[in-house]
Amino acid sequence: MKILITAGPTREYLDDVRFLSNASSGRMGYSIAQAAIDAGHEVVLVSGPVALPVPAGCELVSVEGTRDMYDACLARFAECDGVIASAAVCDYGPRERTSGKRVKTGLPITIELVEMPDIIAELGRQKGQRWSVGFALEAQDPHRRAVEKLHKKNCDAIVLNRTTAIGANDNSIELIDSTDTTVAKWTGSKIDIAHRLIAWIVGTLAD
Amino acid sequence: MKILITAGPTREYLDDVRFLSNASSGRMGYSIAQAAIDAGHEVVLVSGPVALPVPAGCELVSVEGTRDMYDACLARFAECDGVIASAAVCDYGPRERTSGKRVKTGLPITIELVEMPDIIAELGRQKGQRWSVGFALEAQDPHRRAVEKLHKKNCDAIVLNRTTAIGANDNSIELIDSTDTTVAKWTGSKIDIAHRLIAWIVGTLAD
């Protein structure tokens, strides 16, 4: 099987120097890519800027901004059997990017942030017979929000993790399927969780 | 001699997930720390989040936000003979940090950014007999702005580099002293430039 995997953060620039982002290390997505390769699958890994070695045998597509990641995913999804969207995409970015570096004025600056294109929602719309697994990172009322996201984005399953997962080696996740059932709760290293997730997808979504 | 060195980016959070930052890898500052140690000096390295090994023999103070870096520098400057401020500090940050993760509303968000404390300016005010070397990264009218910054922040010298230096292995810099004279232009690897900079400081500022 061929799997599209997104990983890492994206960056949304205010000017040529300053950007909005998050502390995603890419470790969860790269672990999933490794686990998929270990299980004999092909992987297209669309990754934001991270400081991780690329798992041997996967095809890397490096991107920086959310729109780049959106374009890369839409271009590559057709050839894949499913997608695991673990990237910590910027859902907001500055309406405008100033060229050069904004000069300090001594005064406050107001910037307007607009919503970025929703990658997993668009893949969900286009997927047909393919499967899609999303990730949710929610601070308030996490389970309910994850279930909402699962349906809104037409996912077959969603992995709910907590804000403490960002940049960490370990993770503690809840896997929810499209019947809103919590089918697993796993705690452990990201690579261990990645192997379990791939095994579950192969056994449940991809048969 | 004991040298305070700042390195890496800082992060200014909008909420518990999203932050403003820049693509600084920390490589210039870590190279300077390595060069200082190679030349037999003691180093206190105050570093934002980077993915680099800490040079053996230097004392690392890890920070994340600009205010943390400011506090750490002010606490450690008294015991040092000088400071090299190569960190790519966020000069603006959100006025408020929302706890948790802001929920998407479908509408644009307006955020107000305010100026962060100016670390090298404050060290310049307090330095007495100590020396201070700043860094400037300017897109428009870089030489003039670097000279302005040199005086405004009471530096003994300033290293002017370009936006293309961010995250790169190589650099191309101009070193300007307090008489507004360009005393050197160096192009090469960051570690090579770091060795030259330390040699210049030892020969010129620290005698």
Side-chain angles (χ1 to χ4, degrees), chain A residues 30-53:
Chain A
Y30 278 56
S31 295
I32 294 169
Q34 184 65 62
I37 288 164
D38 291 348
H41 304 289
E42 284 182 85
V43 171
V44 178
L45 177 61
V46 178
S47 176
V50 299
L52 291 175

PDB file of all heavy atoms in Angstrom, chain A residues 30-53:
ATOM      1  N   TYR A  30       7.240  11.359  11.577  1.00  0.00           N
ATOM      2  CA  TYR A  30       8.395  10.600  11.086  1.00  0.00           C
ATOM      3  C   TYR A  30       8.385   9.175  11.645  1.00  0.00           C
ATOM      4  O   TYR A  30       8.795   8.225  10.965  1.00  0.00           O
ATOM      5  CB  TYR A  30       9.707  11.321  11.440  1.00  0.00           C
ATOM      6  CG  TYR A  30      10.061  12.438  10.462  1.00  0.00           C
ATOM      7  CD1 TYR A  30       9.162  13.470  10.212  1.00  0.00           C
ATOM      8  CD2 TYR A  30      11.277  12.442   9.766  1.00  0.00           C
ATOM      9  CE1 TYR A  30       9.470  14.487   9.302  1.00  0.00           C
ATOM     10  CE2 TYR A  30      11.586  13.454   8.862  1.00  0.00           C
ATOM     11  CZ  TYR A  30      10.680  14.472   8.636  1.00  0.00           C
ATOM     12  OH  TYR A  30      10.986  15.475   7.737  1.00  0.00           O
ATOM     13  N   SER A  31       7.894   9.017  12.883  1.00  0.00           N
ATOM     14  CA  SER A  31       7.758   7.670  13.466  1.00  0.00           C
ATOM     15  C   SER A  31       6.725   6.862  12.684  1.00  0.00           C
ATOM     16  O   SER A  31       6.914   5.666  12.439  1.00  0.00           O
ATOM     17  CB  SER A  31       7.338   7.771  14.936  1.00  0.00           C
ATOM     18  OG  SER A  31       8.349   8.391  15.694  1.00  0.00           O
ATOM     19  N   ILE A  32       5.633   7.517  12.288  1.00  0.00           N
ATOM     20  CA  ILE A  32       4.595   6.822  11.505  1.00  0.00           C
ATOM     21  C   ILE A  32       5.167   6.415  10.142  1.00  0.00           C
ATOM     22  O   ILE A  32       4.924   5.308   9.664  1.00  0.00           O
ATOM     23  CB  ILE A  32       3.339   7.713  11.351  1.00  0.00           C
ATOM     24  CG1 ILE A  32       2.678   7.927  12.720  1.00  0.00           C
ATOM     25  CG2 ILE A  32       2.340   7.094  10.371  1.00  0.00           C
ATOM     26  CD1 ILE A  32       1.597   9.004  12.733  1.00  0.00           C
ATOM     27  N   ALA A  33       5.944   7.306   9.549  1.00  0.00           N
ATOM     28  CA  ALA A  33       6.570   6.977   8.262  1.00  0.00           C
ATOM     29  C   ALA A  33       7.497   5.766   8.423  1.00  0.00           C
ATOM     30  O   ALA A  33       7.471   4.828   7.605  1.00  0.00           O
ATOM     31  CB  ALA A  33       7.355   8.181   7.733  1.00  0.00           C
ATOM     32  N   GLN A  34       8.293   5.761   9.489  1.00  0.00           N
ATOM     33  CA  GLN A  34       9.194   4.634   9.751  1.00  0.00           C
ATOM     34  C   GLN A  34       8.404   3.343   9.961  1.00  0.00           C
ATOM     35  O   GLN A  34       8.750   2.289   9.412  1.00  0.00           O
ATOM     36  CB  GLN A  34      10.036   4.940  11.000  1.00  0.00           C
ATOM     37  CG  GLN A  34      11.079   3.885  11.330  1.00  0.00           C
ATOM     38  CD  GLN A  34      12.145   3.789  10.248  1.00  0.00           C
ATOM     39  OE1 GLN A  34      12.865   4.743   9.997  1.00  0.00           O
ATOM     40  NE2 GLN A  34      12.220   2.640   9.576  1.00  0.00           N
ATOM     41  N   ALA A  35       7.340   3.434  10.744  1.00  0.00           N
ATOM     42  CA  ALA A  35       6.527   2.243  11.045  1.00  0.00           C
ATOM     43  C   ALA A  35       5.868   1.704   9.776  1.00  0.00           C
ATOM     44  O   ALA A  35       5.767   0.493   9.585  1.00  0.00           O
ATOM     45  CB  ALA A  35       5.469   2.593  12.095  1.00  0.00           C
ATOM     46  N   ALA A  36       5.423   2.599   8.898  1.00  0.00           N
ATOM     47  CA  ALA A  36       4.787   2.171   7.642  1.00  0.00           C
ATOM     48  C   ALA A  36       5.801   1.458   6.744  1.00  0.00           C
ATOM     49  O   ALA A  36       5.495   0.423   6.139  1.00  0.00           O
ATOM     50  CB  ALA A  36       4.183   3.378   6.924  1.00  0.00           C
ATOM     51  N   ILE A  37       7.009   2.007   6.689  1.00  0.00           N
ATOM     52  CA  ILE A  37       8.070   1.376   5.891  1.00  0.00           C
ATOM     53  C   ILE A  37       8.446   0.016   6.494  1.00  0.00           C
ATOM     54  O   ILE A  37       8.577  -0.975   5.780  1.00  0.00           O
ATOM     55  CB  ILE A  37       9.294   2.314   5.790  1.00  0.00           C
ATOM     56  CG1 ILE A  37       8.938   3.473   4.854  1.00  0.00           C
ATOM     57  CG2 ILE A  37      10.528   1.570   5.303  1.00  0.00           C
ATOM     58  CD1 ILE A  37       9.865   4.654   4.954  1.00  0.00           C
ATOM     59  N   ASP A  38       8.568  -0.029   7.823  1.00  0.00           N
ATOM     60  CA  ASP A  38       8.866  -1.293   8.509  1.00  0.00           C
ATOM     61  C   ASP A  38       7.831  -2.372   8.166  1.00  0.00           C
ATOM     62  O   ASP A  38       8.152  -3.561   8.098  1.00  0.00           O
ATOM     63  CB  ASP A  38       8.878  -1.102  10.035  1.00  0.00           C
ATOM     64  CG  ASP A  38      10.066  -0.261  10.509  1.00  0.00           C
ATOM     65  OD1 ASP A  38      10.997  -0.023   9.703  1.00  0.00           O
ATOM     66  OD2 ASP A  38      10.055   0.171  11.677  1.00  0.00           O
ATOM     67  N   ALA A  39       6.584  -1.929   7.962  1.00  0.00           N
ATOM     68  CA  ALA A  39       5.508  -2.884   7.670  1.00  0.00           C
ATOM     69  C   ALA A  39       5.389  -3.172   6.164  1.00  0.00           C
ATOM     70  O   ALA A  39       4.446  -3.829   5.730  1.00  0.00           O
ATOM     71  CB  ALA A  39       4.183  -2.345   8.224  1.00  0.00           C
ATOM     72  N   GLY A  40       6.337  -2.618   5.390  1.00  0.00           N
ATOM     73  CA  GLY A  40       6.385  -2.968   3.970  1.00  0.00           C
ATOM     74  C   GLY A  40       5.598  -2.055   3.039  1.00  0.00           C
ATOM     75  O   GLY A  40       5.389  -2.395   1.871  1.00  0.00           O
ATOM     76  N   HIS A  41       5.179  -0.901   3.533  1.00  0.00           N
ATOM     77  CA  HIS A  41       4.403   0.011   2.690  1.00  0.00           C
ATOM     78  C   HIS A  41       5.304   1.068   2.044  1.00  0.00           C
ATOM     79  O   HIS A  41       6.415   1.308   2.487  1.00  0.00           O
ATOM     80  CB  HIS A  41       3.308   0.688   3.527  1.00  0.00           C
ATOM     81  CG  HIS A  41       2.439  -0.320   4.200  1.00  0.00           C
ATOM     82  ND1 HIS A  41       1.542  -1.108   3.514  1.00  0.00           N
ATOM     83  CD2 HIS A  41       2.354  -0.690   5.507  1.00  0.00           C
ATOM     84  CE1 HIS A  41       0.940  -1.917   4.366  1.00  0.00           C
ATOM     85  NE2 HIS A  41       1.413  -1.689   5.582  1.00  0.00           N
ATOM     86  N   GLU A  42       4.759   1.699   1.007  1.00  0.00           N
ATOM     87  CA  GLU A  42       5.431   2.858   0.407  1.00  0.00           C
ATOM     88  C   GLU A  42       4.932   4.117   1.101  1.00  0.00           C
ATOM     89  O   GLU A  42       3.750   4.197   1.463  1.00  0.00           O
ATOM     90  CB  GLU A  42       5.077   2.967  -1.075  1.00  0.00           C
ATOM     91  CG  GLU A  42       5.785   1.970  -1.971  1.00  0.00           C
ATOM     92  CD  GLU A  42       5.381   2.206  -3.424  1.00  0.00           C
ATOM     93  OE1 GLU A  42       6.006   3.074  -4.076  1.00  0.00           O
ATOM     94  OE2 GLU A  42       4.429   1.548  -3.872  1.00  0.00           O
ATOM     95  N   VAL A  43       5.817   5.104   1.245  1.00  0.00           N
ATOM     96  CA  VAL A  43       5.443   6.332   1.948  1.00  0.00           C
ATOM     97  C   VAL A  43       5.841   7.571   1.158  1.00  0.00           C
ATOM     98  O   VAL A  43       6.978   7.680   0.690  1.00  0.00           O
ATOM     99  CB  VAL A  43       6.109   6.399   3.349  1.00  0.00           C
ATOM    100  CG1 VAL A  43       5.907   7.768   3.995  1.00  0.00           C
ATOM    101  CG2 VAL A  43       5.576   5.305   4.261  1.00  0.00           C
ATOM    102  N   VAL A  44       4.879   8.495   1.008  1.00  0.00           N
ATOM    103  CA  VAL A  44       5.206   9.859   0.563  1.00  0.00           C
ATOM    104  C   VAL A  44       5.066  10.740   1.801  1.00  0.00           C
ATOM    105  O   VAL A  44       3.971  10.888   2.340  1.00  0.00           O
ATOM    106  CB  VAL A  44       4.259  10.348  -0.554  1.00  0.00           C
ATOM    107  CG1 VAL A  44       4.603  11.781  -0.951  1.00  0.00           C
ATOM    108  CG2 VAL A  44       4.318   9.426  -1.762  1.00  0.00           C
ATOM    109  N   LEU A  45       6.185  11.293   2.265  1.00  0.00           N
ATOM    110  CA  LEU A  45       6.206  12.072   3.505  1.00  0.00           C
ATOM    111  C   LEU A  45       6.284  13.556   3.158  1.00  0.00           C
ATOM    112  O   LEU A  45       7.309  14.031   2.672  1.00  0.00           O
ATOM    113  CB  LEU A  45       7.422  11.648   4.345  1.00  0.00           C
ATOM    114  CG  LEU A  45       7.676  12.379   5.660  1.00  0.00           C
ATOM    115  CD1 LEU A  45       6.508  12.219   6.633  1.00  0.00           C
ATOM    116  CD2 LEU A  45       8.968  11.867   6.307  1.00  0.00           C
ATOM    117  N   VAL A  46       5.185  14.269   3.384  1.00  0.00           N
ATOM    118  CA  VAL A  46       5.169  15.714   3.133  1.00  0.00           C
ATOM    119  C   VAL A  46       5.440  16.393   4.469  1.00  0.00           C
ATOM    120  O   VAL A  46       4.635  16.306   5.396  1.00  0.00           O
ATOM    121  CB  VAL A  46       3.818  16.167   2.543  1.00  0.00           C
ATOM    122  CG1 VAL A  46       3.802  17.672   2.340  1.00  0.00           C
ATOM    123  CG2 VAL A  46       3.551  15.445   1.216  1.00  0.00           C
ATOM    124  N   SER A  47       6.598  17.031   4.561  1.00  0.00           N
ATOM    125  CA  SER A  47       7.065  17.494   5.867  1.00  0.00           C
ATOM    126  C   SER A  47       7.399  18.970   5.896  1.00  0.00           C
ATOM    127  O   SER A  47       8.078  19.480   5.010  1.00  0.00           O
ATOM    128  CB  SER A  47       8.317  16.693   6.257  1.00  0.00           C
ATOM    129  OG  SER A  47       8.858  17.182   7.469  1.00  0.00           O
ATOM    130  N   GLY A  48       6.951  19.636   6.938  1.00  0.00           N
ATOM    131  CA  GLY A  48       7.405  20.980   7.250  1.00  0.00           C
ATOM    132  C   GLY A  48       8.828  20.926   7.788  1.00  0.00           C
ATOM    133  O   GLY A  48       9.407  19.845   7.918  1.00  0.00           O
ATOM    134  N   PRO A  49       9.419  22.098   8.105  1.00  0.00           N
ATOM    135  CA  PRO A  49      10.816  22.155   8.558  1.00  0.00           C
ATOM    136  C   PRO A  49      11.019  21.487   9.916  1.00  0.00           C
ATOM    137  O   PRO A  49      10.467  21.931  10.911  1.00  0.00           O
ATOM    138  CB  PRO A  49      11.100  23.660   8.635  1.00  0.00           C
ATOM    139  CG  PRO A  49       9.772  24.335   8.625  1.00  0.00           C
ATOM    140  CD  PRO A  49       8.801  23.434   7.970  1.00  0.00           C
ATOM    141  N   VAL A  50      11.798  20.432   9.932  1.00  0.00           N
ATOM    142  CA  VAL A  50      12.122  19.729  11.178  1.00  0.00           C
ATOM    143  C   VAL A  50      13.612  19.386  11.166  1.00  0.00           C
ATOM    144  O   VAL A  50      14.264  19.486  10.132  1.00  0.00           O
ATOM    145  CB  VAL A  50      11.300  18.421  11.336  1.00  0.00           C
ATOM    146  CG1 VAL A  50       9.806  18.716  11.379  1.00  0.00           C
ATOM    147  CG2 VAL A  50      11.624  17.423  10.233  1.00  0.00           C
ATOM    148  N   ALA A  51      14.121  18.977  12.307  1.00  0.00           N
ATOM    149  CA  ALA A  51      15.541  18.613  12.413  1.00  0.00           C
ATOM    150  C   ALA A  51      15.647  17.115  12.672  1.00  0.00           C
ATOM    151  O   ALA A  51      16.208  16.684  13.660  1.00  0.00           O
ATOM    152  CB  ALA A  51      16.203  19.409  13.533  1.00  0.00           C
ATOM    153  N   LEU A  52      15.071  16.322  11.762  1.00  0.00           N
ATOM    154  CA  LEU A  52      15.061  14.869  11.950  1.00  0.00           C
ATOM    155  C   LEU A  52      15.623  14.193  10.702  1.00  0.00           C
ATOM    156  O   LEU A  52      15.420  14.687   9.590  1.00  0.00           O
ATOM    157  CB  LEU A  52      13.626  14.370  12.148  1.00  0.00           C
ATOM    158  CG  LEU A  52      12.907  14.747  13.429  1.00  0.00           C
ATOM    159  CD1 LEU A  52      11.469  14.251  13.377  1.00  0.00           C
ATOM    160  CD2 LEU A  52      13.616  14.166  14.641  1.00  0.00           C
ATOM    161  N   PRO A  53      16.284  13.040  10.874  1.00  0.00           N
ATOM    162  CA  PRO A  53      16.699  12.270   9.693  1.00  0.00           C
ATOM    163  C   PRO A  53      15.462  11.692   9.000  1.00  0.00           C
ATOM    164  O   PRO A  53      14.497  11.308   9.658  1.00  0.00           O
ATOM    165  CB  PRO A  53      17.576  11.161  10.281  1.00  0.00           C
ATOM    166  CG  PRO A  53      17.170  11.044  11.712  1.00  0.00           C
ATOM    167  CD  PRO A  53      16.668  12.397  12.138  1.00  0.00           C
TER     168      PRO A  53
END
